[in-house]
Amino acid sequence: MLKLYGKYFSIHLKSVMQYKGSFFATVIGSFLTSFTVFLGIFFLFQRFHQVEDFTYEQVLLCYGIMLMGFAAAQMFASGFKVFDSMIANGEFDRILCRPRNEIFQVLAYRVDFVRIGMLLQGVVMLAYGLLSCQVDWNFPRVVTVVFMVIGGCVLFSALFLLDGSIAFFTLQGLEFMNVFTYGAIEHGKYPLGIYGREMLTFCTFVVPYALVQYYPLTYVLGRSDNPFFIFLPLVACLFVIPCWIVWRIGVRRYKSTGS
């Protein structure tokens, strides 16, 4: 299956490279758009030097990790963002007639290479945070950062899957789901603990952003010595299961558009 996905990936890449100037201009635009968020954080810390005892460098480390996970999910799971149109034009009927898993086919349907700009911004912010934060780096902390990026990518991909699944019931995407994706990356610029206990509880037990951001971040920064926090981003990956269940329910009730 990986070999087949590699062929799809190559096809999408060749497609966007047919218009290299337009592609690179769009990637640069994506980078600069996310760079404005960096400027917002920078100017905030010019006035306020700490946010709930978190320094500028620590916030950049936090946001860089979240941005990388979000950008990777947008790049590789963007097929679910246009899934409502696939239902409307009958494309999903064609998918169901093929022998491959339908989730795999939707993932392979689209690769949004424009998000490379956002991903690069996340890499820059993460690199700066890693170099400037006064952290006693060791193997467990490095592994924690890697798990945070992977967990963020899986969590946001699961949310995109859930967003696409809703189209089975509504026949179009619902804008309120952006609260849990684009909204999450917006308030995820800062450690989630600063928003209060109620918000932290929601982001721990309902949509587990805190498991890939706040708790492991406290371990990386030495604010907690609980080794269980290292593996919380992997626990957050279990959020895929309820999203997959909603998808399966949607597939079973799908009646075709008749296109």
Side-chain angles (χ1 to χ4, degrees):
M1 190 171 288
L2 287 176
K3 183 177 180 180
L4 178 59
Y5 184 82
K7 291 182 178 180
Y8 275 109
F9 186 90
S10 177
I11 291 171
H12 290 305
L13 181 59
K14 290 177 181 178
S15 176
V16 298
M17 293 307 291
Q18 291 299 310
Y19 303 94
K20 296 183 179 64
S22 175
F23 170 69
F24 287 115
T26 308
V27 169
I28 293 172
S30 175
F31 178 88
L32 294 177
T33 299
S34 56
F35 186 72
T36 59
V37 180
F38 165 78
L39 291 178
I41 297 174
F42 175 78
F43 288 126
L44 174 70
F45 276 91
Q46 292 299 302
R47 181 69 179 270
F48 307 100
H49 301 295
Q50 290 187 336
V51 175
E52 285 280 332
D53 296 330
F54 289 95
T55 65
Y56 172 65
E57 292 79 12
Q58 292 170 346
V59 168
L60 283 187
L61 174 64
C62 169
Y63 186 51
I65 292 172
M66 287 288 285
L67 191 62
M68 284 184 64
F70 180 71
Q74 274 206 314
M75 181 174 174
F76 293 105
S78 61
F80 294 107
K81 293 300 295 178
V82 297
F83 184 70
D84 55 341
S85 65
M86 296 174 66
I87 289 182
N89 63 23
E91 181 67 25
F92 190 65
D93 294 10
R94 187 181 305 174
I95 285 177
L96 291 176
C97 294
R98 295 170 181 163
R100 294 291 182 178
N101 177 271
E102 66 274 2
I103 291 180
F104 169 79
Q105 293 188 65
V106 176
L107 284 172
Y109 180 80
R110 185 181 184 217
V111 180
D112 192 358
F113 288 101
V114 172
R115 301 303 172 183
I116 291 176
M118 183 184 294
L119 183 62
L120 180 60
Q121 179 66 51
V123 172
V124 171
M125 295 176 71
L126 177 61
Y128 179 81
L130 291 174
L131 294 174
S132 58
C133 276
Q134 309 217 340
V135 176
D136 183 17
W137 291 106
N138 52 32
F139 182 73
R141 288 195 171 103
V142 172
V143 170
T144 303
V145 171
V146 173
F147 284 170
M148 289 171 73
V149 175
I150 295 174
C153 179
V154 173
L155 176 60
F156 283 113
S157 297
L159 286 167
F160 289 137
L161 172 62
L162 181 61
D163 189 8
S165 303
I166 292 175
F168 284 120
F169 308 95
T170 63
L171 301 183
Q172 61 180 357
L174 297 181
E175 290 297 324
F176 87 89
M177 281 300 299
N178 291 334
V179 173
F180 300 104
T181 52
Y182 297 100
I185 196 62
E186 181 64 27
H187 71 252
K189 292 184 295 187
Y190 305 101
L192 294 172
I194 72 171
Y195 298 108
R197 183 176 299 274
E198 293 78 9
M199 185 66 173
L200 186 60
T201 300
F202 176 86
C203 293
T204 301
F205 299 105
V206 182
V207 183
Y209 306 114
L211 302 189
V212 300
Q213 195 239 47
Y214 180 70
Y215 298 113
L217 181 68
T218 59
Y219 179 82
V220 169
L221 298 179
R223 296 174 178 238
S224 172
D225 58 359
N226 188 343
F228 181 63
F229 285 1
I230 299 174
F231 304 99
L232 284 182
L234 302 183
V235 176
C237 294
L238 296 177
F239 186 71
V240 169
I241 296 176
C243 297
W244 176 80
I245 291 174
V246 176
W247 171 271
R248 293 307 307 165
I249 294 172
V251 170
R252 289 194 184 97
R253 75 181 296 278
Y254 178 67
K255 302 299 184 182
S256 175
T257 59
S259 300

